Amino acid sequence: MDFIGGLVCLDFANTVGPRRSRPGKEAHDHLGEPADLVAWCEQAGTIGGNRARLLRRRVERHPAAAAETLARAITLREAIHAVFAAIADGEDPPGEALAEVQRAYAEAMAHAALVTTPDGLDWSWAASTGLDSLLWPIARSAAETALTADFGRIRKCPGHEGSCGWLFYDTSKNGQRRWCSMRACGSWEKARRHQQ
C-alpha cells in the first residue's frame, strides 16, 4: 500500500485506485476484507502492533460485525474522496459526503478524551476493542483537514489521462507537485510524452 497523500484521511481515500477504470487496468481495492482494514491502520500508524493483533482476533471471532465495520469504512472512504476531490477541483463538496464525514467525526469524538502529552494537550481515544475504533483517527483527520488545511495544496493526481484520481497534500516548497508519485504516475506520463 502506498502512503503518498501526506495526511491520514487522504491516504485512506487512496486505498482504491485508479479512481476511473481504463483499458487493461481495473481498480484495485486494498480494503477487500476486514483484516485489510486492520492492516492498513497498522501500516498508517493509527494503531500499534499490539492493538492490531487484538483487532485481528476480533475480526476472526466476529465476522459479521467486522463486515459491517468494513462497509462503514468504505462509506467513509468514498465520502472523504468526494469531499477532497471536489476541493481539489475548486468545487463545493457534495452535501451528502460532508454529512457522512461529520457523522463519523461526531462518533469518533464521542470516544475522545483530552490528555496531557510531552507537547501539551491532545486527543486520545478511550480504550475500545470495537472494530469501529479503527475509523476514529481517520474521521478526525478528515474533519480537521477540512477545517484547517490550505485548500490550494489539496491536489488530485491527473495521471494516466485523468484516471488515477489519488489525492495528496502538496507540501513541496514551491507548491507545484503534480503527481501522486513520480515512480507511478509521474514516470508513466514521462514515458507517454517521450513516445509521442
Side-chain angles (χ1 to χ4, degrees):
M1 288 182 263
D2 291 320
F3 293 87
I4 55 86
L7 298 167
V8 167
C9 62
L10 300 184
D11 280 326
F12 191 65
N14 295 341
T15 55
V16 63
R19 278 287 169 174
R20 283 189 328 159
S21 61
R22 59 184 189 264
K25 182 71 172 174
E26 294 302 314
H28 175 75
D29 194 334
H30 290 282
L31 303 182
E33 56 187 57
D36 296 338
L37 177 60
V38 178
W40 185 89
C41 290
E42 184 179 15
Q43 288 181 17
T46 61
I47 61 171
N50 289 337
R51 185 154 175 70
R53 282 187 286 280
L54 182 141
L55 291 174
R56 280 190 194 94
R57 286 196 298 272
R58 189 160 186 86
V59 164
E60 292 168 6
R61 292 180 186 147
H62 305 281
E68 289 172 9
T69 296
L70 180 61
R72 283 190 286 279
I74 291 171
T75 297
L76 177 59
R77 176 184 71 188
E78 295 310 306
I80 290 169
H81 189 272
V83 167
F84 293 108
I87 289 169
D89 290 338
E91 301 170 359
D92 289 337
E96 315 82 53
L98 283 174
E100 176 58 30
V101 169
Q102 181 178 342
R103 186 210 60 74
Y105 179 68
E107 167 70 17
M109 297 314 287
H111 300 278
L114 276 174
V115 296
T116 303
T117 71
D119 298 320
L121 295 175
D122 199 358
W123 291 108
S124 178
W125 309 112
S128 172
T129 58
L131 290 169
D132 279 359
S133 64
L134 292 167
L135 306 182
W136 300 343
I138 298 163
R140 177 184 171 199
S141 171
E144 290 181 355
T145 299
L147 292 173
T148 63
D150 176 353
F151 284 1
R153 288 188 173 262
I154 294 173
R155 305 279 165 75
K156 182 169 66 171
C157 181
H160 293 275
E161 299 173 339
S163 68
C164 176
W166 273 10
L167 302 169
F168 60 90
Y169 193 74
D170 183 0
T171 58
S172 65
K173 190 177 275 188
N174 62 3
Q176 298 298 312
R177 179 176 163 194
R178 184 161 165 79
W179 313 110
C180 59
S181 76
M182 279 309 296
R183 69 180 168 78
C185 288
S187 295
W188 184 88
E189 286 292 334
K190 282 184 176 180
R192 185 182 66 85
R193 282 196 298 257
H194 181 72
Q195 286 176 343
Q196 288 178 340

